[in-house]
Amino acid sequence: MSAASKPARPAGGETVLILRIALWVCAVVALIGIVLAGLGEVWSLATADDPEGANIGAGLVIIAGGLLAVLGLAGCAVALVGRSVVRRRARADRAR
């Protein structure tokens, strides 16, 4: 099979696919973080009359959820910027 008979693939197609998958994974991580922070807040409100140990646990869940959410959102931003850079390069290559 010669190079001329192979179907043309868009430049950066695999990279865009990888970045799209990374975007979805980061969005799921952010969603899990948001849900964890919300559950921690509910736990904190539900155990407001309990000793301090329960509130410390709820606070740790809130902090962990917040960190996951921020990490997921940062990953989404990186994936979106990466996708736009790859697409611009592909357009510039096609224009040449």
Side-chain angles (χ1 to χ4, degrees):
M1 198 178 217
S2 68
S5 65
K6 289 184 181 178
R9 290 169 47 191
E14 292 173 356
T15 306
V16 170
L17 178 65
I18 291 170
L19 289 171
R20 184 179 297 160
I21 292 169
L23 177 66
W24 279 103
V25 168
C26 291
V28 168
V29 168
L31 184 64
I32 290 170
I34 291 168
V35 169
L36 269 178
L39 289 176
E41 190 65 36
V42 169
W43 183 16
S44 175
L45 292 173
T47 60
D49 295 335
D50 291 349
E52 282 297 315
N55 288 334
I56 290 172
L60 291 175
V61 170
I62 293 170
I63 290 171
L67 287 175
L68 268 178
V70 168
L71 183 66
L73 291 175
C76 286
V78 169
L80 286 173
V81 169
R83 264 179 59 183
S84 67
V85 167
V86 168
R87 286 184 176 175
R88 282 187 190 155
R89 284 186 184 166
R91 284 186 197 137
D93 288 344
R94 274 186 255 143
R96 283 190 224 162

